[in-house]
Amino acid sequence: MSYSFISTNPVHLRRPHLLPQLPSSLRDNLETYIQTLKALASGLLGSMEEALEMEANEMAAKMDDGLQSVAIIYYPPCPQPELVLGFTPHSDATCITILSQVNGVGGLQVKTRDGSWVPVNILPNALVVLVGDILEVFSNGLYESAEHRVTVNPDKERISMAFFVNPKLEAEIGPAASLVMKNPPCRFKTISTEQYFNNFFGRVLDRKTNLEALKIDN
Ligand SMILES: O=C(O)CCC(=O)C(=O)O
Ligand SMILES: [Fe+2]
């Protein structure tokens, strides 16, 4: 598998010199894609606040000009797909992830509550929205982050593209006060986004262990 990770926002964290050969058509398309998904994410977050009965903008404000990044992932075909996984089981460390299964080759699976894996079917022109660990924390557990994995295909390559939406570095990650007030107890600790990602990158990617470290035993 090859994983190209590009930090896209905030703009001052971009490192364009690392990709000097990127054709300008790809740069332009990527920029359009990012701007479109940024607007989509902001709409989705607003609707989620409403659905969760949070105070308006309580969560979305933290994501305004927050950390955003894109991963372009290539999975080569594998002649013995039963022996390996394309991506190990994990939940994303994000608030939300907007995923495109670019070339229409499936493989993404989500874990259900009973522990079985179900495929995320390919629908033409559809994007997949994954709830990440940060949204589980913000919603005080009302939304559960989706544990997912990717299987490999014996004869087809797979290309996917993920857009990761996160709070800004200065923001704090913790359960929304309006939700904890209505529906105690508070289920997660509050930490800065910076500390959160330092912890995340210091760990091995493994199921939902990143989130478990923030849980408060009530
Ligand atoms: O390739 C995919 O469909 C999933 C990628 C993924 O889970 C990730 O980048 O976190
Ligand atoms: Fe993921």
Side-chain angles (χ1 to χ4, degrees), residues 50-66:
E50 247 181 87
L52 289 161
E53 298 180 5
M54 263 186 205
E55 219 166 84
N57 226 14
E58 192 172 8
M59 172 169 79
K62 292 174 188 272
M63 255 67 65
D64 194 31
D65 205 28

Side-chain angles (χ1 to χ4, degrees), residues 3-39:
Y3 196 90
S4 310
F5 182 88
I6 310 171
S7 286
T8 56
N9 207 68
V11 173
H12 70 87
L13 289 184
R14 290 184 180 185
R15 298 282 180 269
H17 61 279
L18 295 176
L19 294 167
Q21 306 299 336
L22 206 63
S24 59
S25 59
L26 178 54
R27 273 184 206 276
D28 293 347
N29 286 335
L30 202 53
E31 194 61 50
T32 308
Y33 189 72
I34 292 162
Q35 295 310 329
T36 309
L37 289 204
K38 203 170 162 170

Side-chain angles (χ1 to χ4, degrees), residues 108-208:
L108 179 64
Q109 298 180 333
V110 174
K111 198 178 187 176
T112 60
R113 284 220 176 94
D114 69 13
S116 53
W117 291 97
V118 292
V120 177
N121 293 332
I122 303 274
L123 296 174
N125 299 320
L127 295 167
V128 178
V129 178
L130 291 166
V131 170
D133 291 341
I134 295 177
L135 183 49
E136 179 161 343
V137 173
F138 280 154
S139 70
N140 200 29
L142 285 176
Y143 282 171
E144 288 175 34
S145 63
E147 190 174 332
H148 53 285
R149 68 178 188 182
V150 181
T151 58
V152 284
N153 191 292
D155 32 50
K156 288 188 202 144
E157 61 185 18
R158 174 172 196 273
I159 300 168
S160 63
M161 201 162 157
F163 181 67
F164 302 118
V165 180
N166 288 307
K168 43 190 155 225
L169 267 183
E170 317 79 78
E172 295 213 303
I173 296 175
S178 64
L179 292 187
V180 176
M181 211 143 59
K182 265 185 281 187
N183 209 348
C186 177
R187 299 182 189 281
F188 298 96
K189 296 173 202 156
T190 294
I191 60 169
S192 71
T193 301
E194 191 167 2
Q195 187 62 53
Y196 173 85
F197 280 108
N198 282 343
N199 295 349
F200 172 73
F201 287 113
R203 281 195 196 97
V204 175
L205 193 65
D206 178 26
R207 295 162 294 139
K208 290 186 63 160

